[in-house]
Amino acid sequence: MIKPLVIKLGGNILKKEAALNNLFTTLANYLNIYNNRFIMIVHGGGYIVDDLMKKLSLSIIKKNGLRITPHDQIDIVVGALAGIANKKLLAWAKKHKINAIGLCLSDGNIVNSLQIDKKLGNVGHVFPGNSSLLNILFDSQYIPIISSIGIDDNGNLLNINADEAAAALALTTDANLVLLSDVNGIKDNKGNFIKEIKKHEAERLISNNVIQHGMVIKVRAALKVAFILNRPVNIASWEYIDQLNALFNGYSIGTRVHN
Ligand SMILES: Nc1ncnc2c1ncn2[C@@H]1O[C@H](COP(=O)(O)OP(=O)(O)OP(=O)(O)O)[C@@H](O)[C@H]1O
Ligand SMILES: [Mg+2]
C-alpha cells in the first residue's frame, strides 16, 4: 500500500496567488490519478500573524525560530493560523474541487502537544498522537488541512512550529514528508543549494550559522523523521509547478535530508 503523504506549506505561500493556484491544480490532478493515496496538508502562517500583530501594535519576538507567544496574544495567533490561514487554504481546495476538512493539531488528538517553557508563553512541542480520526477521514476521502495550533492536556492553546507539527503528523501516520518553503532547499555557505544532506553536515552548518532561523527547526524536524522512519525527507519550494508532481511521486527536488 502506498504511504500517506504529509505536505507542509510554509505560510508565505498564502501571499502568492499564482503559487497557490499551481499547487492546488497539481494536487487536484494528482488526487484524480492516485485517489487511494492519503494526503494531509499542514501549514504555517507566520506572516499573517505578523500582519495582525502589527495592525494591533503588538511587538513580535522570536527565539531560535520559535515565536514567543505571551498568554494575551495566543488568541491572535489562533485566529490567524486556525482561522485566516486555514480557511484561506480550504477555500483554495474547494475552488479546485478537493474535498478538504480544516483541523488543528489537537482534533482527535492527532498529535500530542506540550507547553515548552512558561517563559516562551503559549508555545509548544508536539509528539506523535492518535491516527484514528485520520483513518476515518481517509476512508471517507477527506483531505485534512491542519493548522499548527495545538492544545495541551490542561486545555492551553499552543502555537506550534509548523515543521515540527508536520514531522509529528508524519510519524503518527508513517507518511512520507515534504516540507515546502519559500526557498528551494538548504543553502551552503556560498549560497548554493545542497542536494543531499545528513545529520553531521546539517549540524555543522547550524553551528556555523549557515543554517539559521526557521531553517534550523525545519532541518532538525526533517532529520528526526528521516531517522525514525528510515527514509529521506524533502525540503523544497512550492514555487515550481513542474517539480511538484515529481515530488509527490517521490523524486528528489530541493534538498533531500537523509538519516
Ligand atoms: N542555509 C539556509 N538555507 C536556506 N534557507 C535558510 C537558511 N538559513 C536560513 N534560512 C531561512 O529559512 C527560511 C525558511 O524558514 P521559515 O521558517 O522562514 O519558513 P517556513 O518554515 O517555510 O514557513 P512557516 O514558518 O510559515 O511555516 C528561508 O526563507 C530562509 O530565509
Ligand atoms: Mg518555519
Side-chain angles (χ1 to χ4, degrees), residues 27-252:
L27 208 53
N29 290 337
Y30 185 85
L31 287 166
N32 279 335
I33 300 167
Y34 300 95
N35 56 7
N36 62 342
R37 188 168 201 197
F38 188 33
I39 294 194
M40 294 156 272
I41 294 175
V42 183
H43 64 87
Y47 96 91
I48 295 182
V49 179
D50 290 348
D51 280 1
L52 215 51
M53 301 272 285
K54 276 181 208 147
K55 277 185 198 154
L56 297 166
S57 307
L58 295 167
S59 56
I60 298 161
I61 309 164
K62 291 186 187 165
K63 201 172 170 189
N64 303 327
L66 291 173
R67 177 189 302 272
I68 296 179
T69 309
H71 182 65
D72 60 358
Q73 292 179 8
I74 186 67
D75 287 359
I76 295 160
V77 175
V78 171
L81 294 181
I84 300 168
N86 190 263
K87 276 20 180 186
K88 280 192 171 181
L89 290 171
L90 274 177
W92 277 95
K94 187 164 173 72
K95 194 171 160 186
H96 286 81
K97 303 194 170 32
I98 294 170
N99 191 24
I101 180 162
L103 301 173
C104 79
L105 297 169
S106 293
D107 286 276
N109 295 315
I110 52 185
V111 303
N112 295 313
S113 310
L114 209 62
Q115 189 165 14
I116 299 175
D117 177 347
K118 287 223 157 71
K119 278 185 240 143
L120 294 174
N122 286 51
V123 179
H125 282 317
V126 277
F127 306 91
N130 186 329
S131 62
S132 308
L133 172 66
L134 297 169
N135 294 336
I136 293 169
L137 296 177
F138 175 51
D139 288 342
S140 306
Q141 299 195 311
Y142 285 102
I143 304 295
I145 299 184
I146 306 170
S147 67
S148 56
I149 294 295
I151 306 172
D152 71 9
D153 287 346
N154 296 321
N156 297 307
L157 286 159
L158 298 173
N159 182 12
I160 311 288
N161 175 279
D163 292 312
E164 267 198 40
L169 192 69
L171 294 178
T172 302
T173 54
D174 187 21
N176 290 341
L177 174 63
V178 299
L179 302 171
L180 297 183
S181 183
D182 56 0
V183 279
N184 197 19
I186 304 171
K187 287 187 221 168
D188 64 17
N189 59 346
K190 295 188 182 114
N192 298 319
F193 285 107
I194 300 168
K195 281 213 169 298
E196 317 270 343
I197 199 164
K198 286 189 175 183
K199 185 178 170 118
H200 180 76
E201 175 64 1
E203 289 299 338
R204 194 183 67 83
L205 293 176
I206 291 170
S207 44
N208 292 347
N209 289 322
V210 175
I211 296 177
Q212 292 179 306
H213 313 298
M215 191 53 78
V216 175
I217 295 185
K218 196 183 300 296
V219 173
R220 288 192 171 140
L223 284 167
K224 183 175 172 183
V225 172
F227 175 71
I228 296 174
L229 297 183
N230 197 23
R231 46 182 191 265
V233 170
N234 271 83
I235 298 177
S237 168
W238 31 253
E239 205 128 28
Y240 306 108
I241 178 158
D242 47 326
Q243 297 189 353
L244 284 177
N245 217 18
L247 183 67
F248 295 165
N249 281 309
Y251 294 98
S252 176

Side-chain angles (χ1 to χ4, degrees), residues 12-30:
N12 284 353
I13 194 173
L14 285 157
K15 285 187 210 165
K16 310 262 178 149
E17 290 249 326
L20 282 164
N21 196 35
N22 284 342
L23 177 82
F24 280 95
T25 304
T26 309
L27 208 53
N29 290 337
Y30 185 85

